[in-house]
Amino acid sequence: MDKISFEGYDTKNHFDEMFDADMKVRPHYELFRKRIEKMDWKKLNFLQHATDRAQLSLGMTFNVYSDNQGIERILHLDIIPRIISGADWDKLEKGLNQRITALNMFIADIYGEQKVLKDKIIPAELITSSACYLKECIGLKPPENVWCHITGSDMIRGDDDEFYVLEDNLRCPSGVSYMLENREILKRTFPELFERLKVRPVHNYAHYLRDMMESLTPIQRPSIAVLTPGIYNSAYFEHAYLAQQMGAELVEGRDLVVQNDFVYMITTNGLKKLDVIYRRVDDDFIDPLVFNKDSMLGTPGLFEAYRKGNIVLVNAPGTGVADDKAVYAYIPKIIKYYLGEEAILKNVKTYICDEPDQMQYVIDNIKDLVVKQTDASGGYGMLIGPKSTKEEQAEFVKKIKAKPRNYIAQPTINLSRVPTLSDDTIEGRHVDLRPYILYGKEMKIVPGALTRVALKKGSLVVNSSQGGGSKDTWVLDS
Amino acid sequence: MLSRVANSIYWMNRYLERAENYARFMDVNYNLSLEMHPGITEQWKPLVVTTGDWELYESSYGEPDKKNIIFFLGFDPNNANSVLSCINQARENARAIRPEITKEVWERVNGLYYKMKDGVEKSVWAKKDPRKFFLEVKETCQLLAGIYDTTISRTEGWHFGKLGQFIERADKTSRVLDVKYHMLLPSATAVGTPVDLVQWSSVLRSVSAYDMYRKKYGKINPQSICEFLIFDRNFPRSIMNCVEQAKESLDTISGHKNDQLNEADKHLGMLKAHLDYSDVQEVLSSGLHEYLDDIQIKLNNVSVAIFESFFSTQNILKRHTHS
């Protein structure tokens, strides 16, 4: 049987994470290469099937339609890991630490004194016009004045070997269960690859998550829960997984009741008070009395209990304001303003359509740009200029002109590529990187991330809703 | 524990117990059909009657037909009690209570779901001999019950599961006995004939009681069979034993604070007293069917009372609203 080889592997015109332009293997991939080249194709394909089965068995599925006749799909886990050197990671960690610290100060300021607006670092209209800016949060101060407890920043590596932050994801970032379970599955199916590579462990995440939640309340042994929209939500597996790993209750809005501005769970033995909620329900839906009146996912009175300080919500409502894609453009300035430091992690050049000259540039160059809706996520509401038709471009120009505040544009960035198993061959596929940052009394980042991979040849869209898969991400010790 | 979660644990266990019973019914009935005259389809109709879904069957398929009945009881998504529907429901509930159960339990329930999916793709009901499939389903359910018992802590949740399992099991035993007894007894002339013996043996096998019955009574005899399946205190599928075990779990859950009985305690206690103070002669002379029918109604009342006492959020809020 043929042994695996990288002969003919194409690195042209892309930054490849494993090989340099001359097909020389990068040092942190050397040992991995030796190991995998001892293996034959048949075994590799067999192991790939074994990982598919393991995912089904674990129930790592999401519903495509929201009824029980719906199709359940797995997020394809490519068996070839993505490896990051210790040095790269340490820089990334430092950069994330800086960025999240500044973003948290920014959110606290926006709902507090608004110094950043008074000092004209960022135009006030940009904030007040943001769909994610919640007036209801003005004047609030969550415990430790921490707002963004869990962040899942989307990072990419460009042709210049530098990491960029693409999106900050400060609301309810998902995918961390895949980071954790991908590792478990790979350890089981592919143990021989791990030997002597010194992969940093990620399994403490749930432990840190619980610690973080407990650090936000003075109550000893607080009662904590994960709030889920329910079993038909596409991230339900993750909600259940995290609740289980933390030993927390998994609750739905209908399991809760608010009395005298305290939050209680409805149990077989009467009402039981809750102290901290990791809510995986968006701001709009947490409380029909304050936000979306038609929401069935929340609990009436929850926001008032939060306002009174009787319940801790993770993340705090209102963090989305720093997640607005137009605000994103100002983050280097925000870091400078609050910390007096240059941003360690780069931002992607961003054109704000609300600025007339920038809008004109976007319209003139739309075929080369990626246009994004400022309040959307998940790969929806975007146009990838180079891959779009004239009609699609014209339609976006119309949309931009009608509501310039709702759009930004960025140059198309060539995401780095990683060797990926594809129909009995190994080819480069584009990837991004989503590390998870926990912020309570202190900041904690487990050395790992979710790597999302665009499975279609040449595709730059890694979102699971658009045909993306995932990879286990190995951060090496050195 | 959360009322919604307790409700899901209760129903997950009921559905798994039901699925196991149905899978066993199919296996036993198929064996039985092998020894009957080929033209007789009748032994398949009582099976559907046992499940209480004869009307639904008749309106969809008309005449009893082996293949249709195997599909209806095994795989029909429109039959809420088919093995397929039960396992889908069990899995939905298991998903909802994922943090309450172990990975081993979840993976088995999930595995059953994929097994049923596979059965649908392979049209098992159209196969010449579908027994292997149903036997595997039954064995997986039994394995699951074992894993459940050896990996889950004996807290409230476990007891709610047991409650569901035993109430379901008592109901199924009473239905098997009810229907088969009526089908078999009128043919007084056939008593003691080889065919009759085969039929009575199949009643016992339908509830996995053949070996334990033989050990206790030796001879196949309708009255002893009734006594064994209703009143035996030691056999784990007799109505008596199921009710006793259910009561033990309910007592643990309720804890009887201040000696205050809730509705569930009352109904289950009355059912147990009802069984304690009757015997097989009395039951047969006053009418077995009426007796079993009454048991089924009482079991249903217990289930409703459990819902009202523990699962209904409305009731709990009514009792616990701070003014």
Side-chain angles (χ1 to χ4, degrees):
Chain A
M1 194 68 205
D2 285 350
K3 292 269 181 255
I4 289 163
S5 98
F6 286 91
E7 218 168 290
Y9 184 83
D10 179 17
T11 61
K12 271 196 294 296
N13 306 324
H14 300 281
F15 182 89
D16 191 89
E17 301 268 340
M18 182 163 171
F19 296 100
D20 66 16
D22 305 323
M23 270 305 282
K24 226 177 120 230
V25 68
R26 297 182 195 277
H28 59 288
Y29 264 100
E30 226 164 291
L31 196 53
F32 168 79
R33 181 193 188 161
K34 275 192 203 136
R35 294 258 164 76
I36 200 162
E37 283 186 337
K38 282 192 188 130
M39 204 172 271
D40 62 48
W41 288 102
K42 198 175 158 194
K43 171 137 194 231
L44 194 66
N45 278 311
F46 172 79
L47 293 177
Q48 180 63 57
H49 286 139
T51 62
D52 295 350
R53 279 200 307 277
Q55 280 190 294
L56 281 175
S57 175
L58 286 164
M60 294 171 72
T61 54
F62 55 95
N63 280 44
V64 181
Y65 303 112
S66 44
D67 66 72
N68 53 12
Q69 301 297 313
I71 304 158
E72 288 182 14
R73 285 203 338 220
I74 55 171
L75 179 67
H76 179 81
L77 163 58
D78 184 73
I79 193 168
I80 301 175
R82 187 258 186 92
I83 306 178
I84 297 177
S85 71
D88 275 352
W89 177 261
D90 294 341
K91 183 181 171 196
L92 212 104
E93 192 177 313
K94 227 170 118 198
L96 287 168
N97 218 303
Q98 178 200 52
R99 191 170 173 109
I100 305 300
T101 305
L103 282 173
N104 189 67
M105 290 170 87
F106 169 69
I107 300 166
D109 187 22
I110 287 296
Y111 293 114
E113 296 176 59
Q114 303 203 328
K115 283 195 291 199
V116 72
L117 304 185
K118 287 169 193 153
D119 289 341
K120 302 207 182 318
I121 304 301
I122 181 167
E125 315 84 66
L126 200 73
I127 298 301
T128 49
S129 62
S130 169
C132 307
Y133 170 63
L134 299 185
K135 287 180 195 66
E136 291 81 357
C137 295
I138 295 170
L140 294 187
K141 200 172 170 190
E144 311 286 332
N145 213 5
V146 174
W147 295 68
C148 48
H149 309 101
I150 301 161
T151 308
S153 315
D154 282 342
M155 325 264 313
I156 54 173
R157 203 202 293 251
D159 286 341
D160 53 359
D161 189 4
E162 286 281 345
F163 278 106
Y164 291 78
V165 177
L166 200 56
E167 279 177 29
D168 289 284
N169 295 321
L170 297 155
R171 284 168 280 187
C172 292
S174 61
V176 74
S177 60
Y178 287 90
M179 170 183 91
L180 298 167
E181 283 294 71
N182 285 358
R183 177 65 55 83
E184 288 306 310
I185 290 172
L186 234 69
K187 277 198 294 195
R188 216 173 320 148
T189 52
F190 229 172
E192 57 269 48
L193 276 188
F194 282 86
E195 280 166 39
R196 288 194 293 120
L197 262 173
K198 293 196 183 146
V199 180
R200 296 191 202 180
V202 293
H203 67 259
N204 280 339
Y205 179 82
H207 183 81
Y208 294 148
L209 179 60
R210 190 176 176 119
D211 275 355
M212 182 273 283
M213 289 174 74
E214 289 188 353
S215 79
L216 300 171
T217 168
I219 295 167
Q220 293 294 307
R221 296 180 59 83
S223 162
I224 70 175
V226 175
L227 175 64
T228 174
I231 64 168
Y232 296 119
N233 185 273
S234 62
Y236 177 78
F237 166 77
E238 177 155 305
H239 308 158
Y241 179 85
L242 290 174
Q244 189 191 30
Q245 295 288 314
M246 284 196 290
E249 290 288 347
L250 178 65
V251 300
E252 297 178 17
R254 60 185 162 133
D255 295 325
L256 305 179
V257 64
V258 177
Q259 291 188 1
N260 299 329
D261 300 325
F262 282 88
V263 182
Y264 298 91
M265 297 186 284
I266 303 168
T267 79
T268 52
N269 218 355
L271 302 184
K272 189 172 173 242
K273 188 168 140 287
L274 257 185
D275 304 310
V276 188
I277 298 177
Y278 176 16
R279 46 93 181 199
R280 292 292 294 261
V281 172
D282 289 336
D283 286 353
D284 262 358
F285 294 93
I286 55 171
D287 184 348
L289 298 182
V290 182
F291 305 107
N292 188 334
K293 284 174 192 54
D294 302 323
S295 172
M296 305 287 283
L297 305 176
T299 305
L302 184 62
F303 192 77
E304 189 57 26
Y306 168 72
R307 251 176 40 83
K308 292 237 162 88
N310 294 336
I311 186 85
V312 181
L313 294 179
V314 167
N315 287 351
T319 53
V321 68
D323 224 358
D324 186 293
K325 289 186 169 68
V327 173
Y328 165 89
Y330 291 88
I331 291 178
K333 283 184 190 165
I334 287 172
I335 292 173
K336 181 95 191 172
Y337 178 72
Y338 291 105
L339 302 176
E341 299 168 6
E342 295 301 323
I344 298 169
L345 297 172
K346 287 190 178 176
N347 238 29
V348 177
K349 170 82 187 145
T350 301
Y351 302 95
I352 297 172
C353 298
D354 213 19
E355 306 277 334
D357 51 331
Q358 296 189 30
M359 176 168 93
Q360 198 50 52
Y361 178 87
V362 171
I363 290 169
D364 293 345
N365 296 281
I366 196 158
K367 65 178 192 341
D368 301 319
L369 298 171
V370 177
V371 184
K372 294 176 176 174
Q373 208 176 306
T374 50
D375 59 353
S377 61
Y380 293 102
M382 61 190 267
L383 175 91
I384 299 178
K387 309 240 151 149
S388 62
T389 63
K390 283 250 177 320
E391 288 75 26
E392 286 165 335
Q393 292 167 14
E395 198 188 315
F396 259 77
V397 169
K398 224 167 39 187
K399 284 191 197 169
I400 293 168
K401 281 181 173 162
K403 271 193 169 171
R405 170 65 181 84
N406 281 12
Y407 293 91
I408 55 115
Q410 294 168 335
T412 323
I413 297 187
N414 214 354
L415 278 59
S416 65
R417 297 205 309 194
V418 178
T420 301
L421 184 62
S422 163
D423 298 330
D424 301 343
T425 61
I426 293 177
E427 290 181 343
R429 290 288 183 270
H430 296 287
V431 292
D432 76 350
L433 183 76
R434 181 183 284 182
Y436 296 89
I437 303 97
L438 297 174
Y439 193 6
K441 261 207 175 78
E442 53 186 23
M443 204 174 295
K444 202 118 205 179
I445 309 176
V446 290
L450 172 67
T451 289
R452 298 187 298 174
V453 51
L455 296 169
K456 234 168 63 198
K457 193 170 191 163
S459 169
L460 290 168
V461 188
V462 296
N463 301 77
S464 60
S465 52
Q466 322 272 318
S470 76
K471 278 173 169 291
D472 189 18
T473 309
W474 294 1
V475 176
L476 302 190
D477 215 22
S478 50
Chain B
M1 88 184 320
L2 289 175
S3 315
R4 175 181 57 81
V5 167
N7 190 20
S8 284
I9 295 180
Y10 176 84
W11 280 104
M12 180 185 82
N13 279 276
R14 276 201 83 152
Y15 281 120
L16 287 172
E17 180 69 27
R18 194 173 296 172
E20 192 222 310
N21 274 284
Y22 277 36
R24 184 163 6 81
F25 292 171
M26 304 269 232
D27 178 50
V28 171
N29 220 59
Y30 194 93
N31 275 337
L32 178 64
S33 72
L34 294 177
E35 291 176 290
M36 305 295 275
H37 296 295
I40 302 174
T41 53
E42 267 184 53
Q43 72 277 5
W44 287 99
K45 178 178 169 183
L47 185 61
V48 184
V49 175
T50 305
T51 66
D53 289 316
W54 173 252
E55 277 172 30
L56 178 64
Y57 174 86
E58 206 178 21
S59 69
S60 321
Y61 303 94
E63 292 294 303
D65 165 81
K66 179 178 134 193
K67 204 170 93 184
N68 284 343
I69 288 177
I70 291 177
F71 177 76
F72 178 73
L73 295 179
F75 298 97
D76 194 341
N78 298 319
N79 174 5
N81 295 313
S82 68
V83 179
L84 178 82
S85 300
C86 285
I87 285 172
N88 286 348
Q89 289 287 340
R91 180 171 177 263
E92 291 267 284
N93 281 298
R95 266 167 73 93
I97 58 166
R98 185 61 191 82
E100 304 293 327
I101 53 178
T102 52
K103 182 158 166 267
E104 289 99 315
V105 168
W106 160 255
E107 290 200 31
R108 287 288 166 184
V109 178
N110 196 33
L112 268 173
Y113 167 81
Y114 285 108
K115 172 141 198 73
M116 292 309 295
K117 252 180 105 125
D118 189 48
V120 170
E121 271 156 31
K122 290 182 177 145
S123 307
V124 165
W125 57 90
K127 290 220 154 74
K128 219 170 165 191
D129 189 352
R131 274 176 301 182
K132 187 166 169 281
F133 181 85
F134 289 111
L135 211 61
E136 281 168 10
V137 169
K138 182 191 88 171
E139 282 172 0
T140 309
C141 288
Q142 290 173 329
L143 188 62
L144 187 54
I147 295 172
Y148 196 83
D149 277 4
T150 50
T151 64
I152 308 270
S153 295
R154 274 15 177 203
T155 51
E156 202 187 352
W158 188 81
H159 288 290
F160 274 115
K162 288 283 123 182
L163 210 46
Q165 185 183 29
F166 288 121
I167 286 170
E168 180 67 25
R169 191 181 287 175
D171 178 74
K172 287 295 159 286
T173 298
S174 85
R175 285 170 187 275
V176 165
L177 186 60
D178 187 15
V179 172
K180 283 288 183 169
Y181 193 89
H182 269 263
M183 193 191 87
L184 293 174
L185 213 63
S187 53
T189 51
V191 171
T193 65
V195 172
D196 188 56
L197 283 177
V198 168
Q199 293 253 24
W200 277 110
S201 302
S202 83
V203 172
L204 290 168
R205 287 204 172 94
S206 294
V207 289
S208 295
Y210 184 77
D211 296 321
M212 292 296 116
Y213 172 85
R214 278 284 198 192
K215 187 156 175 54
K216 182 165 179 183
Y217 293 92
K219 284 174 90 125
I220 298 285
N221 167 299
Q223 182 176 324
S224 303
I225 289 174
C226 290
E227 185 172 65
F228 190 67
L229 293 185
I230 302 173
F231 294 109
D232 195 273
R233 289 193 187 264
N234 303 313
F235 179 62
R237 308 193 81 87
S238 77
I239 298 172
M240 175 67 94
N241 186 281
C242 290
V243 167
E244 280 183 340
Q245 295 202 64
K247 189 160 184 313
E248 268 174 40
S249 280
L250 183 59
D251 286 347
T252 311
I253 293 165
S254 298
H256 296 310
K257 286 170 222 110
N258 315 320
D259 287 333
Q260 284 233 320
L261 296 183
N262 57 49
E263 285 303 298
D265 293 328
K266 285 182 200 163
H267 277 93
L268 192 55
M270 286 193 291
L271 173 56
K272 184 168 177 300
H274 183 67
L275 288 162
D276 279 337
Y277 298 106
S278 49
D279 60 48
V280 72
Q281 274 90 8
E282 188 194 318
V283 167
L284 289 179
S285 59
S286 68
L288 177 73
H289 173 67
E290 288 72 17
Y291 186 81
L292 291 173
D293 209 36
D294 184 47
I295 295 259
Q296 283 157 31
I297 291 168
K298 287 188 159 70
L299 281 167
N300 199 39
N301 292 341
V302 171
S303 194
V304 170
I306 289 170
F307 177 82
E308 299 291 346
S309 302
F310 300 106
F311 306 153
S312 158
T313 51
Q314 261 180 332
N315 285 357
I316 293 164
L317 285 177
K318 235 185 269 165
R319 289 198 295 271
H320 293 276
T321 294
H322 302 206
S323 53

